[in-house]
Amino acid sequence: MLPRYANKTGYYLLYLFMLGLFLGILLVNIRHDVWIKDDGLLNIEMMKQLKNSELNSSYLLGYIVKHRISVILTVSLLASTVIGLPIVCAYVCYLGASAGCMLSVAVIRYGIRGVFFIAASIFPQGLLLIPAYFLLFIWSLDCNRSLYANINGMQGRYFLGKQFLLRKGIKLIGILILVFLGCVVESYVNSQILHFVLKIF
């Protein structure tokens, strides 16, 4: 069971993601002509290239791991700075907006097929990556609060020691392991699922 602070923070993160999701959907619908161009996002040519591409799971794993681990390390590093709070909140909102844009474009272009494509894009690695990113954001905000919250007129970092660093380090390693497992599933399992679903396009 999550501590009360983590539980409350989780709700705030969900609100931010949903806000971003709504903004992404709104953006696509307002500028419909820009997003749904012949050379726009998820166009027919792009889907054909994905459909006809040869699977190289080992190469894909290396690319995905490099990208996701670098993002996680960047977010965790920024969380330890004064600007950590707005950075994390903005990134969560950005993820929601990206999801909203992708979902809207897929549905507008392909209807129910677009829904299947989006679902295939995030399953089954989403069962690992979504909790991992959620834990990362909780970790980041808690780290920032611990470092910069005022305690008796002094900032929290003056009261933190090796035990705090060790505890945070172990949690971050656990998150990284979870993300790595998600990357493995994405590379070797999801790629096959996505390739199968693309046959309907």
Side-chain angles (χ1 to χ4, degrees):
M1 190 173 185
L2 290 173
R4 180 177 298 179
Y5 168 77
N7 193 32
K8 187 176 181 180
T9 304
Y11 282 117
Y12 288 145
L13 291 172
L14 180 60
Y15 296 151
L16 284 172
F17 182 84
M18 295 303 295
L19 174 62
L21 186 70
F22 171 77
L23 291 175
I25 294 173
L26 184 63
L27 180 62
V28 171
N29 284 276
I30 289 177
R31 298 303 308 273
H32 183 277
D33 56 326
V34 175
W35 289 89
I36 315 299
K37 296 189 298 183
D38 290 339
D39 59 346
L41 183 64
L42 299 180
N43 61 71
I44 295 176
E45 186 62 29
M46 181 185 299
M47 302 303 281
K48 285 183 179 179
Q49 290 180 358
L50 288 173
K51 180 180 178 180
N52 298 324
S53 61
E54 294 184 5
L55 296 176
N56 188 335
S57 298
S58 298
Y59 174 81
L60 185 61
L61 176 61
Y63 175 81
I64 294 175
V65 168
K66 181 180 179 180
H67 171 71
R68 295 198 188 281
I69 297 300
S70 62
V71 168
I72 288 175
L73 293 179
T74 300
V75 170
S76 59
L77 181 62
L78 289 173
S80 64
T81 67
V82 178
I83 61 172
L85 178 60
I87 289 293
V88 172
C89 292
Y91 185 62
V92 173
C93 197
Y94 162 77
L95 290 178
S98 299
C101 289
M102 288 287 291
L103 179 61
S104 296
V105 171
V107 171
I108 292 173
R109 282 189 184 276
Y110 304 108
I112 189 64
R113 293 183 301 163
V115 176
F116 285 134
F117 173 76
I118 295 298
S121 299
I122 63 175
F123 181 83
Q125 74 274 13
L127 299 176
L128 294 169
L129 293 177
I130 292 174
Y133 274 82
F134 177 77
L135 292 173
L136 171 66
F137 297 140
I138 293 288
W139 181 95
S140 299
L141 295 179
D142 181 61
C143 179
N144 186 267
R145 182 182 68 91
S146 300
L147 289 171
Y148 297 103
N150 288 326
I151 303 174
N152 297 326
M154 298 181 67
Q155 289 184 331
R157 64 177 179 272
Y158 294 109
F159 299 93
L160 302 177
K162 293 181 179 180
Q163 186 177 1
F164 170 80
L165 295 175
L166 180 62
R167 187 172 67 251
K168 283 296 179 183
I170 291 174
K171 289 182 179 180
L172 183 58
I173 291 173
I175 292 171
L176 289 171
I177 292 173
L178 193 59
V179 169
F180 177 76
L181 293 176
C183 291
V184 173
V185 173
E186 185 174 2
S187 302
Y188 289 93
V189 180
N190 174 257
S191 59
Q192 301 291 338
I193 295 175
L194 192 58
H195 209 68
F196 175 77
V197 171
L198 282 170
K199 292 180 180 179
I200 67 176
F201 287 86

